């Protein structure tokens, strides 16, 4: 039975990935056209725009209204896989390892980053930590 469930989940993930590939390609073309620093192959290009004041921002400087100036890069493949799995409901780390085919260390690191960014929340289910998409992620 678990093989049937895993096969079904894997097919759903594969179908969803096939569905999203054109959107990802379009997103990369738009980033490239906007000159946002990322090329189509995902490698960073050197920044060509000058930062106000002529010098790069230093770590710890603040943006408008005293909020921290924090820019996050694109999500890693592990984070994307974890989010895709969590779209179907909450999961423990061991369940995410099976569903995503990532190592436990990669799943934990992705969950740590996603929890810190607020995209994922941590709860307890049957005495074990379980993770779910937060209500504010989107």
């Amino acid at each position: 039975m678990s093989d049937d469930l895993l096969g079904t989940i894997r097919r759903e993930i594969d179908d969803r990935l096939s569905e999203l590939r054109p959107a990802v390609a379009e997103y990369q073309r738009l980033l490239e056209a906007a000159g946002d620093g990322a090329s189509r192959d995902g490698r960073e290009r050197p920044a060509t725009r000058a930062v106000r004041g002529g010098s790069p921002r230093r770590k710890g400087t603040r943006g408008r209204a005293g909020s921290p100036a924090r820019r996050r890069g694109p999500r890693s493949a592990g984070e994307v896989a974890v989010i895709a799995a969590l779209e179907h409901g909450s999961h423990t780390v061991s369940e995410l390892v099976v569903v995503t085919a990532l190592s436990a260390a990669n799943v934990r690191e992705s969950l740590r980053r996603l929890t810190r960014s607020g995209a994922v929340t941590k709860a307890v289910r049957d005495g074990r930590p379980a993770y779910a998409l937060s209500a504010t992620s989107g």
Side-chain angles (χ1 to χ4, degrees), residues 105-120:
N106 284 342
V107 168
R108 284 187 196 96
E109 178 65 18
S110 295
L111 286 168
R112 184 186 61 77
R113 280 194 233 112
L114 291 167
T115 302
R116 189 183 324 145
S117 72
V120 170

Side-chain angles (χ1 to χ4, degrees), residues 1 6 15-16 19 21 25 36 39-40 57 59 64 69 86-87 92-93 102 105 108 112 118-119 126 131-132:
M1 180 175 153
L6 292 177
D15 291 345
R16 184 73 173 138
E19 186 180 311
R21 278 193 181 94
D36 199 25
S39 64
R40 287 184 84 174
R57 290 185 80 131
K59 194 173 188 176
R64 290 196 176 141
L86 292 177
E87 286 177 349
T92 62
V93 171
L102 296 171
R108 284 187 196 96
R112 184 186 61 77
D126 297 329
Y131 297 86

